[in-house]
Amino acid sequence: MPGPASTPHPSGETAALVSQVVEELVRRFVQDDVHSPAPADPAGAARRRALVRLSVLADVKQAVRDLEDQAAHAAAAGGAGYPEIGQAVSMSRQGARRRWPGLITNNAPSPASQPTSRRS
């Protein structure tokens, strides 16, 4: 039986599209912030826009991380192992195991927990 097929995605297209969407989101938040009382000096206004942008980007980063966690759990529930999960996020098996410890469990009983038969 062949192994699971990897899902191809156009190189760089995903990142470019996400960048566009995030830039639009940031622009909207910065634009909404413009309606707040602005500092009198242009440097203060520029600083505030940069800080709003940074705050929005930090929120986006956390949201993406949460979505990655959900996807990793779904992949594991679907039978993927650390090598496949690591490959999907461009990291090693060990890196995936450090990022999501305990994600993959082996439910097979260990030899020590199996009863032994005694012969008389």
Side-chain angles (χ1 to χ4, degrees):
M1 171 168 43
S6 64
T7 305
H9 52 86
S11 176
E13 283 185 32
T14 302
L17 180 58
V18 169
S19 291
Q20 288 175 353
V21 170
V22 170
E23 283 296 331
E24 175 61 21
L25 180 67
V26 168
R27 186 188 62 74
R28 287 183 184 187
F29 275 100
V30 170
Q31 187 177 31
D32 288 347
D33 191 60
V34 168
H35 300 299
S36 305
D41 65 309
R47 180 175 60 248
R48 190 162 92 187
R49 281 192 305 274
L51 290 171
V52 169
R53 178 182 169 82
L54 183 60
S55 177
V56 171
L57 290 171
D59 289 346
V60 167
K61 182 175 157 183
Q62 184 59 51
V64 168
R65 192 138 173 114
D66 293 345
L67 291 171
E68 274 184 330
D69 291 347
Q70 292 171 16
H73 282 88
Y82 282 118
E84 291 171 292
I85 292 170
Q87 183 179 20
V89 292
S90 300
M91 66 173 59
S92 67
R93 174 191 61 80
Q94 294 88 347
R97 190 175 206 159
R98 279 188 220 108
R99 168 81 191 273
W100 296 286
L103 185 63
I104 311 297
T105 58
N106 184 358
N107 293 330
S110 66
S113 68
Q114 294 178 355
T116 55
S117 62
R118 292 190 165 182
R119 294 190 177 177
S120 343

